[in-house]
Amino acid sequence: MAMARKSNKSKANSIGLEQIKSTLIVWWIAMLCLMGIGFISIINIQYEALSKKEITKLSQITVEEGKNYGDEDNPVKVSYYSTNINGSKYDFYTLDPTTEVTDEKVYSNKELVEDDGIISILKNAQYLPDSYSKEDKKSITQLALWIYKGYLEKSEKNAVLNSNIGSQVSSLVKKANEENYKQSSIVLSTNTPTITLSKDKKYYVSDLIKLSFSNEYTVVDYKIDLSNAPKGTKIIDENGKEVENNKKVKNFYLKIPEKNVKDSNKEFSIGVTVTTADYYAYAFRTLVNKSDEADVVLNDLQIRLNKTKNTISLYVPKETKQSLISQSTILGFLALCVTSAICGIVILIINIIQNQKEIRRRKRKKTRKTRK
């Protein structure tokens, strides 16, 4: 019977070891698979990064004839140009309607576009209504560039603006003359940094806080940061309503629960984090073009995003009660009293015990003398 139990026990141990081995093998294989997948992913990412070449020239050009967007007396014909770069198709536009573009030309002199008007047209053309066809959108962009650069005669310009796409061309040109894309500075300001108590004495309310940008055209996003403010601080708009989305407010008040203001957070700061865009594009010219202006501009608007943070310090003049003896001193004194009392009781008990022992000793001594 004992032998059978030992045999069963050894079998159970053997089965347990086999299960552990199987589990370890499965985990090992899984780890190898994960490492392999990760390694392949890294290789693919590196390959994509290496295969993405910088655009250095425009060649393999395709020219498609468009249509006349002027009238019979003042024809303004538009053609559509594209190029194949690293397997991808890109549209490009001429800056001068007299520029001749053929599939034999190569534009290899690359330069950065510094004209904010051209940047504006390329940027805003991305948001043309979908009711226009792709060809019409290209025509609107091309015609806006020509009018902005001043290359169309007055009669030609009027003919274009009176066409079925004239309103959109006019809108792009108007924006091109108004917008600039210098990086924006951010300012948080208020008339007074002191926050006052409300009439019902339940909240502290700040003076109006203003958020302003030097150039809103480059502002992509912004968010007000209340992480350093007292708990429960809310943003209130100029109409007295709470603002839940603090990305959509520029002039606002802070409303702070009175009970949440302590000595440790009476002075605090709030901040605003702003994301701005630095737009840029590239123009190209042929080797023979030595003029001040490039021949064509690539319709490939690039964006660099920059983050900036600004803060403002605020102060809540809340008065806190102060006693002559601090709370820690009182607690220390009470602890000392309790300790002294305990020590006194212990000493008293020891004295009583010792006195009782002494009395018993004397009684025993007296009893012995009496017997004698």
Coordinates of all heavy atoms in Angstrom, one line a residue, residues 308-359:
T308 N 4.8 76.1 -27.0 CA 5.2 77.1 -26.1 C 4.3 77.2 -24.9 O 3.1 77.0 -25.0 CB 5.2 78.5 -26.8 OG1 5.9 78.4 -28.1 CG2 5.9 79.6 -26.0
K309 N 4.9 77.5 -23.7 CA 4.1 77.6 -22.5 C 4.4 79.0 -21.8 O 5.5 79.4 -21.7 CB 4.4 76.5 -21.5 CG 3.5 76.5 -20.3 CD 3.6 75.2 -19.5 CE 2.6 75.2 -18.3 NZ 2.7 74.0 -17.5
N310 N 3.3 79.6 -21.4 CA 3.4 80.9 -20.7 C 2.6 80.7 -19.4 O 1.6 80.0 -19.3 CB 2.9 82.0 -21.5 CG 3.4 83.3 -21.1 OD1 3.9 83.5 -19.9 ND2 3.4 84.3 -21.9
T311 N 3.0 81.4 -18.3 CA 2.3 81.3 -17.0 C 2.0 82.7 -16.5 O 2.6 83.7 -16.9 CB 3.1 80.5 -16.0 OG1 4.4 81.2 -15.8 CG2 3.4 79.1 -16.5
I312 N 1.1 82.7 -15.5 CA 0.8 84.0 -14.8 C 0.6 83.6 -13.3 O -0.1 82.6 -13.0 CB -0.5 84.7 -15.4 CG1 -0.8 86.0 -14.7 CG2 -1.7 83.8 -15.3 CD1 -1.9 86.8 -15.3
S313 N 1.1 84.4 -12.4 CA 1.0 84.2 -11.0 C -0.2 84.9 -10.4 O -0.5 86.1 -10.7 CB 2.3 84.6 -10.3 OG 3.4 83.9 -10.7
L314 N -0.9 84.2 -9.5 CA -2.1 84.8 -8.9 C -2.0 84.6 -7.3 O -1.2 83.8 -6.9 CB -3.4 84.1 -9.4 CG -3.6 84.3 -10.9 CD1 -4.7 83.3 -11.4 CD2 -3.9 85.7 -11.3
Y315 N -2.8 85.4 -6.6 CA -2.7 85.4 -5.1 C -4.1 85.5 -4.5 O -4.9 86.4 -4.9 CB -1.8 86.5 -4.7 CG -1.8 86.7 -3.2 CD1 -1.1 85.8 -2.4 CD2 -2.4 87.8 -2.6 CE1 -1.1 85.9 -1.0 CE2 -2.3 88.0 -1.2 CZ -1.7 87.0 -0.4 OH -1.6 87.2 0.9
V316 N -4.4 84.7 -3.5 CA -5.6 84.7 -2.8 C -5.3 85.3 -1.4 O -4.6 84.6 -0.6 CB -6.2 83.3 -2.6 CG1 -7.6 83.4 -1.8 CG2 -6.5 82.7 -4.0
P317 N -5.8 86.5 -1.0 CA -5.5 87.1 0.3 C -6.3 86.6 1.4 O -7.0 87.3 2.1 CB -5.7 88.6 0.0 CG -6.8 88.6 -1.0 CD -6.6 87.4 -1.9
K318 N -6.3 85.3 1.6 CA -7.2 84.7 2.6 C -6.5 84.7 4.0 O -5.3 84.4 4.1 CB -7.5 83.2 2.3 CG -8.4 82.5 3.3 CD -8.7 81.1 2.9 CE -9.6 80.4 3.9 NZ -10.0 79.0 3.5
E319 N -7.2 85.2 5.0 CA -6.7 85.3 6.3 C -6.9 84.0 7.1 O -8.0 83.4 7.0 CB -7.3 86.5 7.1 CG -7.0 87.8 6.5 CD -7.6 88.9 7.4 OE1 -8.2 88.6 8.4 OE2 -7.5 90.1 7.0
T320 N -5.9 83.5 7.7 CA -6.0 82.3 8.5 C -5.8 82.6 10.0 O -5.0 83.4 10.3 CB -4.9 81.2 8.0 OG1 -3.6 81.8 8.2 CG2 -5.1 80.8 6.6
K321 N -6.6 81.9 10.8 CA -6.5 82.1 12.3 C -5.1 81.6 12.8 O -4.7 80.5 12.5 CB -7.6 81.4 13.0 CG -9.0 82.0 12.6 CD -10.1 81.2 13.4 CE -11.5 81.8 13.0 NZ -12.5 81.1 13.7
Q322 N -4.5 82.4 13.6 CA -3.2 82.1 14.2 C -3.3 82.2 15.8 O -3.7 83.3 16.3 CB -2.1 82.9 13.7 CG -1.8 82.7 12.2 CD -0.6 83.5 11.8 OE1 -0.2 84.4 12.5 NE2 -0.1 83.3 10.6
S323 N -3.0 81.2 16.5 CA -3.1 81.2 18.0 C -1.7 81.5 18.5 O -0.7 81.3 17.8 CB -3.6 79.9 18.5 OG -2.8 78.8 18.1
L324 N -1.6 82.0 19.8 CA -0.3 82.2 20.4 C 0.5 81.0 20.6 O 1.7 81.0 20.5 CB -0.5 82.9 21.7 CG -1.1 84.3 21.7 CD1 -1.4 84.9 23.1 CD2 -0.3 85.3 20.9
I325 N -0.2 79.9 20.9 CA 0.5 78.6 21.0 C 0.0 77.7 19.8 O -1.2 77.5 19.6 CB 0.1 77.9 22.3 CG1 0.5 78.8 23.5 CG2 0.8 76.6 22.5 CD1 0.1 78.3 24.8
S326 N 1.0 77.2 19.1 CA 0.6 76.4 18.0 C 0.0 75.1 18.4 O 0.1 74.6 19.5 CB 1.9 76.2 17.1 OG 2.8 75.3 17.8
Q327 N -0.7 74.4 17.4 CA -1.3 73.2 17.7 C -0.3 72.1 18.0 O -0.5 71.3 18.9 CB -2.1 72.7 16.4 CG -3.0 71.5 16.7 CD -3.8 71.2 15.4 OE1 -3.7 71.8 14.4 NE2 -4.6 70.1 15.5
S328 N 0.9 72.1 17.4 CA 1.9 71.1 17.7 C 2.4 71.3 19.1 O 2.7 70.3 19.8 CB 3.0 71.2 16.7 OG 3.6 72.5 16.7
T329 N 2.5 72.5 19.6 CA 3.0 72.8 20.9 C 2.0 72.3 21.9 O 2.3 71.7 23.0 CB 3.2 74.3 21.1 OG1 4.1 74.8 20.2 CG2 3.7 74.6 22.5
I330 N 0.7 72.5 21.7 CA -0.4 72.0 22.6 C -0.4 70.5 22.6 O -0.4 69.9 23.7 CB -1.8 72.5 22.1 CG1 -1.8 74.0 22.3 CG2 -2.9 71.8 22.9 CD1 -3.1 74.6 21.7
L331 N -0.2 69.8 21.5 CA -0.2 68.4 21.5 C 1.0 67.8 22.2 O 1.0 66.8 23.0 CB -0.2 67.9 20.0 CG -1.5 68.1 19.2 CD1 -1.3 67.7 17.8 CD2 -2.6 67.3 19.8
G332 N 2.2 68.5 22.1 CA 3.4 68.1 22.8 C 3.2 68.3 24.3 O 3.6 67.4 25.1
F333 N 2.6 69.4 24.7 CA 2.3 69.6 26.1 C 1.4 68.5 26.7 O 1.7 68.0 27.8 CB 1.7 71.0 26.3 CG 1.4 71.3 27.8 CD1 2.4 71.5 28.7 CD2 0.1 71.3 28.2 CE1 2.1 71.8 30.0 CE2 -0.2 71.5 29.5 CZ 0.8 71.8 30.4
L334 N 0.4 68.2 26.0 CA -0.6 67.1 26.4 C 0.1 65.8 26.5 O -0.1 65.0 27.5 CB -1.8 67.0 25.5 CG -2.7 68.2 25.5 CD1 -3.8 68.0 24.4 CD2 -3.4 68.3 26.9
A335 N 1.0 65.5 25.6 CA 1.7 64.2 25.6 C 2.6 64.2 26.8 O 2.8 63.2 27.5 CB 2.5 64.1 24.3
L336 N 3.3 65.3 27.1 CA 4.2 65.4 28.3 C 3.4 65.2 29.6 O 3.9 64.5 30.5 CB 4.9 66.8 28.3 CG 5.9 67.0 29.4 CD1 7.0 66.0 29.4 CD2 6.4 68.4 29.4
C337 N 2.2 65.8 29.6 CA 1.4 65.6 30.8 C 1.0 64.2 31.1 O 1.0 63.7 32.2 CB 0.1 66.5 30.7 SG 0.5 68.3 30.8
V338 N 0.5 63.6 30.0 CA 0.1 62.1 30.1 C 1.3 61.3 30.5 O 1.2 60.4 31.4 CB -0.5 61.7 28.7 CG1 -0.7 60.2 28.7 CG2 -1.8 62.4 28.4
T339 N 2.4 61.5 29.9 CA 3.6 60.7 30.2 C 4.0 60.9 31.7 O 4.3 60.0 32.4 CB 4.8 61.1 29.3 OG1 4.4 61.0 28.0 CG2 6.0 60.3 29.6
S340 N 4.0 62.2 32.1 CA 4.3 62.5 33.5 C 3.3 61.8 34.5 O 3.7 61.3 35.6 CB 4.3 64.0 33.8 OG 5.2 64.6 32.9
A341 N 2.0 61.8 34.1 CA 1.0 61.2 35.0 C 1.3 59.7 35.1 O 1.2 59.1 36.2 CB -0.4 61.5 34.4
I342 N 1.6 59.1 34.0 CA 1.8 57.7 34.0 C 3.0 57.3 34.8 O 3.0 56.4 35.7 CB 2.0 57.1 32.5 CG1 0.7 57.2 31.8 CG2 2.5 55.7 32.5 CD1 0.8 56.9 30.3
C343 N 4.1 58.1 34.6 CA 5.3 57.9 35.5 C 5.0 58.1 36.9 O 5.5 57.3 37.8 CB 6.4 58.9 35.0 SG 7.1 58.5 33.4
G344 N 4.2 59.1 37.3 CA 3.8 59.4 38.7 C 3.1 58.2 39.3 O 3.3 57.8 40.4
I345 N 2.1 57.7 38.5 CA 1.3 56.5 39.0 C 2.2 55.3 39.2 O 2.1 54.6 40.2 CB 0.2 56.2 38.0 CG1 -0.8 57.4 37.9 CG2 -0.5 54.9 38.3 CD1 -1.8 57.3 36.8
V346 N 3.1 55.1 38.2 CA 4.0 53.9 38.4 C 4.9 54.1 39.6 O 5.1 53.1 40.4 CB 4.9 53.8 37.1 CG1 6.0 52.8 37.3 CG2 4.1 53.4 35.9
I347 N 5.4 55.3 39.9 CA 6.3 55.5 41.0 C 5.5 55.3 42.3 O 5.9 54.7 43.3 CB 6.9 56.9 41.0 CG1 7.9 57.0 39.8 CG2 7.6 57.3 42.3 CD1 8.4 58.4 39.5
L348 N 4.2 55.8 42.3 CA 3.3 55.7 43.5 C 3.1 54.2 43.8 O 3.1 53.8 45.0 CB 2.0 56.4 43.2 CG 1.0 56.4 44.3 CD1 1.5 57.0 45.6 CD2 -0.3 57.1 43.9
I349 N 2.8 53.4 42.7 CA 2.5 52.0 42.9 C 3.8 51.3 43.5 O 3.7 50.5 44.4 CB 2.1 51.4 41.6 CG1 0.7 51.9 41.2 CG2 2.0 49.8 41.7 CD1 0.3 51.5 39.8
I350 N 4.9 51.6 43.0 CA 6.2 51.0 43.5 C 6.4 51.4 44.9 O 6.7 50.5 45.7 CB 7.4 51.5 42.6 CG1 7.2 50.9 41.2 CG2 8.7 51.1 43.2 CD1 8.2 51.5 40.2
N351 N 6.1 52.6 45.3 CA 6.3 53.1 46.7 C 5.3 52.3 47.6 O 5.7 51.9 48.7 CB 6.1 54.6 46.8 CG 7.2 55.4 46.3 OD1 8.4 54.8 46.3 ND2 7.0 56.6 45.8
I352 N 4.1 52.2 47.2 CA 3.1 51.4 48.0 C 3.5 50.0 48.2 O 3.5 49.5 49.3 CB 1.7 51.5 47.3 CG1 1.2 52.9 47.3 CG2 0.7 50.5 48.0 CD1 -0.1 53.1 46.5
I353 N 4.0 49.4 47.1 CA 4.4 48.0 47.2 C 5.6 47.9 48.2 O 5.7 47.0 49.1 CB 4.8 47.4 45.8 CG1 3.5 47.3 45.0 CG2 5.5 46.0 46.0 CD1 3.8 47.0 43.5
Q354 N 6.6 48.8 48.1 CA 7.7 48.7 48.9 C 7.3 49.0 50.4 O 7.9 48.3 51.3 CB 8.8 49.8 48.5 CG 9.5 49.4 47.2 CD 10.4 50.4 46.7 OE1 10.4 51.6 47.2 NE2 11.4 50.1 45.8
N355 N 6.4 49.9 50.6 CA 5.9 50.2 52.0 C 5.2 49.0 52.6 O 5.4 48.7 53.8 CB 5.0 51.4 52.0 CG 5.7 52.7 51.8 OD1 6.9 52.8 52.0 ND2 5.0 53.7 51.2
Q356 N 4.4 48.3 51.8 CA 3.7 47.1 52.3 C 4.7 46.0 52.6 O 4.6 45.3 53.7 CB 2.7 46.6 51.2 CG 1.5 47.5 51.1 CD 0.5 47.0 50.1 OE1 0.9 46.1 49.3 NE2 -0.7 47.6 50.1
K357 N 5.8 45.9 51.8 CA 6.8 44.9 52.1 C 7.5 45.2 53.4 O 7.8 44.4 54.3 CB 7.8 44.8 51.0 CG 7.3 44.1 49.7 CD 8.4 44.1 48.7 CE 7.9 43.3 47.4 NZ 8.9 43.3 46.4
E358 N 7.8 46.5 53.6 CA 8.5 46.9 54.8 C 7.6 46.7 56.1 O 8.1 46.3 57.1 CB 8.8 48.4 54.7 CG 9.6 49.0 55.9 CD 11.0 48.4 56.1 OE1 11.5 47.8 55.1 OE2 11.5 48.4 57.2
I359 N 6.3 46.9 56.0 CA 5.4 46.7 57.1 C 5.4 45.2 57.4 O 5.4 44.8 58.6 CB 4.0 47.2 56.7 CG1 4.0 48.8 56.7 CG2 2.9 46.8 57.8 CD1 2.7 49.4 56.1

